[in-house]
């Protein structure tokens, strides 16, 4: 019938117009439809005439005689189920995304990748084999047991997601941003640099402790007074430990990385310069030269805070909190490119995207106001901190060389720190030790919703010397982060400049930060609470 269709409609000239060759391609098409034209080929010999054996995978697309997996079935499964009113549980889109050609026993076949992550935010995510090696380590798997939003889970029951899936999402988006930049500016970023950036995205949160930011913002400052510590530094240390403990150096070399250079580069992408003593004006990084400065703006952007870390947690946190996310990172991916600004290369965006970027920072502010700094969530994290402070000397973790570390000193030894996760909450709660009685009582009060009560809060117009101040901003204190963003025009994509606030909207904020003090009452009886509210109303903390 195909031969008749071609001859009856005079299609041979039309097919030649599109560079098809006769009679070879006519034979090839018929073989794709119905198999070999000559069934008498000796066993073991290539039976097709239309294409040579090195193109064997082409015969597996329309009518796959090898394993029956072909697009004919994909269509009629979906189409027949639709018209029959029967649910189709097979997802051919997943196979489309992860199909590739591999050589098997000297022949090329269509194969399916087996390492695929089905992410609720980004869909089916494929990870580079080296990233999968990192994921399958105890140091990374630890992130399964660290809540992304800490104590917020006690207020928003949907916020049960962990640092594990967020880290995979950041690695995925880092790869997508690199891909988007390379599509507009080919050969801008090498495969080696791309892989390093994705590894940094994957490992950027390795250093988080129990209940995430509660640990480094509330627990450590009280448990180790005056000790300067950031989870980013711990992420760098944990990354070193992960590579060494799992002997990943040779595995990195297998994928053309140079550990002597690239390990430092990945550390810098995670936590900034390794040497903070560089003279002002000098390039502070060792991993890559200054002409590659834009690479440091992908995972953790200290220049203007626009990075893939935020793109993932905005989308992921909004999804799990049940809060609408009005920021669209997909648009920024399409309009991002590298431009030279004042002699340095930076990631810039189309001028029409300035409003979308303001939406991004407003999303951050809204998440802090509605969830991250929720009054009850903050009360619960305050109570967990008090319980951990009480329990810290009595819970120990074995570290390197058999040494023992407490909850507050485990950050000094990555082997011990690997064992410190949110599970310490259950360990205290279910303990019978007398040493943990005080801490256990506090956690029991949390579980039974007998938490401290909110008395009131007051806005701070001037800095106040108190233990904790609640701050909400656009990510850079009182500075407008958009002032550090450069935009290019459609008709001039190589030059970028700043855009003043007024042309965007007269309704944009005049200030970009607010801070206030909250007062809580540990006594939960009505009499004590009323007295506390009366005193707060009279004093108003004098600000």
């Amino acid at each position: 019938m195909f031969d008749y269709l071609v001859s009856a409609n005079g299609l041979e000239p039309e097919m030649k117009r599109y560079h098809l060759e006769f009679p070879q391609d006519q034979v090839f098409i018929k073989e794709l439809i119905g198999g070999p034209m000559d069934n008498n080929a000796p066993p073991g010999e290539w039976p097709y005439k239309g294409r040579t054996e090195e193109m064997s995978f082409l015969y597996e697309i329309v009518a796959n005689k090898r394993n029956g997996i072909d697009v004919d079935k994909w269509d009629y499964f979906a189409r027949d189920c639709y018209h029959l009113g029967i649910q189709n549980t097979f997802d051919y889109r997943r196979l489309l995304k992860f199909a590739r050609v591999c050589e098997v026993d000297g022949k090329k076949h269509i194969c399916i990748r087996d390492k695929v992550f089905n992410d609720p935010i980004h869909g089916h995510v494929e990870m580079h084999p080296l990233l999968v090696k990192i994921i399958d380590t105890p140091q990374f798997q630890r992130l399964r047991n660290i809540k992304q939003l800490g104590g917020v889970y006690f207020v928003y029951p949907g916020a049960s997601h962990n640092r594990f899936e967020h880290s995979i999402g950041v690695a995925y988006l880092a790869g997508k941003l690199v891909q988007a930049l390379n599509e507009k500016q080919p050969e801008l970023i090498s495969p080696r640099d791309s892989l390093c950036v994705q590894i940094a995205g994957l490992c950027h949160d390795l250093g988080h402790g129990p209940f995430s930011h509660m640990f480094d913002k509330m627990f450590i400052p009280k448990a180790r007074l005056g000790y300067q510590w950031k989870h980013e530094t711990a992420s760098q240390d944990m990354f070193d430990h992960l590579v060494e403990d799992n002997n990943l150096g040779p595995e990195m070399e297998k994928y053309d990385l140079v550990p002597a250079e690239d390990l430092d580069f990945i550390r810098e992408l995670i936590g900034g310069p390794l040497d903070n003593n560089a003279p002002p004006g000098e390039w502070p990084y060792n991993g890559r030269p200054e002409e590659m400065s834009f690479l440091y703006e992908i995972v953790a952007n200290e220049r203007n805070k626009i990075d893939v870390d935020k793109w993932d947690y905005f989308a992921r946190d909004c999804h799990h909190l049940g809060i609408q996310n009005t920021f669209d990172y997909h648009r920024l991916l399409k309009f991002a490119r590298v431009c030279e600004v004042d002699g340095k290369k930076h990631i810039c965006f189309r001028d029409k995207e300035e409003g979308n970027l303001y939406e991004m920072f407003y999303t951050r502010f809204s998440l802090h106001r509605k969830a991250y700094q929720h009054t009850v969530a903050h009360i619960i994290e305050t109570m967990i901190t008090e319980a951990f402070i009480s329990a810290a000397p009595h819970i120990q973790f074995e570290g390197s060389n058999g040494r023992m570390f407490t909850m507050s000193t485990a950050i000094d030894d990555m082997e011990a720190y690997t064992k410190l996760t949110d599970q310490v909450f259950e360990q205290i709660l279910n303990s019978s030790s007398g040493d943990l009685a005080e801490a256990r009582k506090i956690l029991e009060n949390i579980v039974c919703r007998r938490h401290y009560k909110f008395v009131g809060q007051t806005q701070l117009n001037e800095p106040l010397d108190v233990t904790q101040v609640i701050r909400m901003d656009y990510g850079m204190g009182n500075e407008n982060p958009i002032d550090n963003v450069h935009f290019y025009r459609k008709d001039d994509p190589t030059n970028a400049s700043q855009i003043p606030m007024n042309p965007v909207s007269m309704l944009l904020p005049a200030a970009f930060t607010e801070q206030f003090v909250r007062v809580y009452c540990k006594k939960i009886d009505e009499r004590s609470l009323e007295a506390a509210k009366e005193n707060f109303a009279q004093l108003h903390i004098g600000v």
Side-chain angles (χ1 to χ4, degrees):
M1 183 61 79
F2 175 71
D3 285 344
Y4 175 69
L5 181 149
V6 172
S7 61
N9 295 280
L11 291 183
E12 184 174 334
E14 191 70 17
M15 297 174 82
K16 287 182 177 179
R17 176 184 167 194
Y18 293 102
H19 310 294
L20 297 187
E21 296 181 4
F22 279 79
Q24 183 180 352
D25 287 340
Q26 189 172 11
V27 171
F28 177 42
I29 293 169
K30 288 194 288 185
E31 290 177 333
L32 290 171
I33 293 171
M37 304 292 291
D38 180 9
N39 291 319
N40 298 319
E45 283 194 10
W46 181 242
Y48 294 97
K49 306 298 182 184
R51 291 294 184 271
T52 57
E53 192 169 8
E54 54 263 27
M55 302 300 289
S56 57
F57 62 93
L58 292 173
Y59 291 93
E60 300 175 0
I61 297 175
V62 176
N64 189 346
K65 303 298 182 184
R66 177 171 167 261
N67 55 33
I69 301 172
D70 52 51
V71 295
D72 176 33
K73 295 181 183 64
W74 297 1
D75 180 83
Y76 80 66
F77 288 168
R79 194 173 302 278
D80 291 358
C81 285
Y82 174 80
H83 288 287
L84 290 168
I86 297 173
Q87 184 178 7
N88 179 19
T89 57
F90 166 66
D91 184 8
Y92 72 83
R93 295 175 181 84
R94 179 183 173 100
L95 292 188
L96 279 176
K97 190 163 187 176
F98 298 108
R100 61 185 301 148
V101 174
C102 305
E103 190 165 309
V104 181
D105 298 329
K107 293 182 180 179
K108 291 181 178 178
H109 296 293
I110 296 175
C111 305
I112 308 296
R113 292 269 319 181
D114 61 348
K115 283 296 183 180
V116 177
F117 297 86
N118 190 0
D119 183 69
I121 307 304
H122 307 300
H124 296 117
V125 173
E126 181 181 9
M127 292 277 111
H128 187 283
L130 181 55
L131 271 64
V132 174
K133 288 280 187 182
I134 293 172
I135 291 170
D136 293 340
T137 63
Q139 292 79 15
F140 191 87
Q141 291 292 319
R142 166 182 179 269
L143 298 180
R144 287 184 184 273
N145 296 309
I146 295 180
K147 287 282 183 291
Q148 173 82 6
L149 299 185
V152 175
Y153 177 49
F154 288 90
V155 178
Y156 286 86
S160 58
H161 55 305
N162 301 303
R163 291 281 162 185
F164 179 87
E165 51 265 38
H166 165 61
S167 297
I168 291 175
V170 174
Y172 168 76
L173 287 181
K176 295 295 285 185
L177 181 52
V178 167
Q179 179 184 347
L181 294 173
N182 266 344
E183 286 175 356
K184 300 180 190 70
Q185 298 161 279
E187 301 180 3
L188 178 71
I189 303 173
S190 69
R192 175 185 167 191
D193 285 347
S194 174
L195 184 53
C196 286
V197 169
Q198 291 177 69
I199 292 172
L202 187 69
C203 298
H204 78 288
D205 272 349
L206 286 175
H208 268 295
F211 295 89
S212 290
H213 288 292
M214 186 214 79
F215 188 79
D216 57 317
K217 298 272 181 70
M218 300 174 73
F219 172 72
I220 289 296
K222 290 184 177 180
R224 299 181 66 168
L225 296 175
Y227 186 69
Q228 299 297 316
W229 183 83
K230 301 187 301 180
H231 78 266
E232 292 89 352
T233 304
S235 293
Q236 293 173 323
D237 294 340
M238 186 65 82
F239 175 69
D240 290 344
H241 176 57
L242 182 153
V243 172
E244 181 181 354
D245 190 53
N246 298 280
N247 193 29
L248 290 185
E251 195 72 22
M252 299 176 82
E253 292 173 347
K254 176 181 171 183
Y255 295 103
D256 300 320
L257 298 189
V258 182
E261 301 172 6
D262 292 336
L263 287 175
D264 276 352
F265 178 43
I266 295 167
R267 292 187 197 101
E268 291 174 336
L269 290 170
I270 292 171
L274 301 179
D275 181 8
N276 291 317
N277 297 320
E282 284 194 12
W283 181 241
Y285 296 98
N286 298 318
R288 292 297 183 270
E290 194 166 7
E291 56 264 29
M292 302 299 289
S293 57
F294 63 91
L295 291 174
Y296 291 95
E297 299 175 2
I298 295 175
V299 175
N301 188 348
E302 293 302 320
R303 180 170 166 262
N304 54 37
K305 303 298 182 179
I306 301 171
D307 51 51
V308 296
D309 176 29
K310 293 180 183 62
W311 296 0
D312 182 85
Y313 80 68
F314 288 166
R316 193 172 303 278
D317 292 356
C318 284
H319 172 81
H320 288 282
L321 289 166
I323 295 173
Q324 185 178 6
N325 179 21
T326 57
F327 165 68
D328 184 6
Y329 73 80
H330 296 94
R331 281 188 62 89
L332 289 189
L333 281 175
K334 288 185 178 297
F335 294 110
R337 67 178 296 122
V338 173
C339 302
E340 190 165 310
V341 180
D342 299 329
K344 292 182 180 180
K345 291 181 179 178
H346 296 294
I347 297 175
C348 303
F349 302 93
R350 267 289 301 278
D351 48 2
K352 65 178 182 178
E353 291 308 301
E354 186 176 25
N356 194 26
L357 288 175
Y358 274 110
E359 195 70 49
M360 170 186 148
F361 287 108
Y362 183 74
T363 298
R364 181 188 187 278
F365 174 80
S366 296
L367 283 168
H368 272 271
R369 181 170 52 86
K370 295 176 180 178
Y372 306 159
Q373 304 289 356
H374 190 285
T375 53
V376 177
H378 197 262
I379 285 172
I380 288 171
E381 290 194 339
T382 299
M383 295 177 71
I384 296 173
T385 299
E386 292 178 359
F388 282 8
I389 291 292
S390 175
H394 310 294
I395 297 179
Q396 295 192 323
F397 304 89
E398 185 176 351
S400 55
N401 301 318
R403 292 180 298 164
M404 303 303 292
F405 296 85
T406 65
M407 287 175 60
S408 60
T409 60
I411 58 176
D412 300 326
D413 184 276
M414 290 300 105
E415 188 172 329
Y417 194 43
T418 302
K419 302 168 184 175
L420 180 56
T421 67
D422 288 5
Q423 291 176 340
V424 73
F425 183 102
E426 302 293 331
Q427 182 180 346
I428 297 169
L429 184 64
N430 298 322
S431 70
S432 56
S433 169
D435 293 332
L436 298 176
E438 180 184 353
R440 185 166 58 247
K441 180 61 177 176
I442 296 173
L443 299 188
E444 287 173 351
N445 287 338
I446 292 174
V447 172
C448 296
R449 308 298 291 179
R450 295 190 296 264
H451 47 67
Y452 307 155
K453 298 301 180 181
F454 174 67
V455 174
Q457 70 181 32
T458 184
Q459 191 85 24
L460 285 178
N461 298 318
E462 298 179 0
L464 186 66
D465 185 18
V466 295
T467 304
Q468 285 189 11
V469 176
I470 306 298
R471 291 182 176 87
M472 299 184 192
D473 56 46
Y474 273 35
M476 298 186 71
N478 199 36
E479 185 179 349
N480 180 2
I482 306 298
D483 288 343
N484 297 313
V485 182
H486 288 75
F487 300 87
Y488 66 89
R489 300 195 311 272
K490 183 177 181 179
D491 59 354
D492 188 11
T494 59
N495 293 311
S497 59
Q498 294 174 307
I499 298 179
M501 286 179 61
N502 289 346
V504 182
S505 172
M506 295 297 293
L507 299 178
L508 291 174
F512 293 89
T513 185
E514 62 180 16
Q515 52 184 347
F516 45 86
V517 171
R518 285 179 181 158
V519 175
Y520 306 125
C521 182
K522 289 188 176 184
K523 296 181 179 179
I524 62 175
D525 62 280
E526 290 187 10
R527 182 177 178 182
S528 298
L529 187 58
E530 284 302 315
K533 288 181 177 180
E534 289 178 9
N535 286 328
F536 176 79
Q538 293 174 5
L539 295 174
H540 218 251
I541 314 185
V543 295

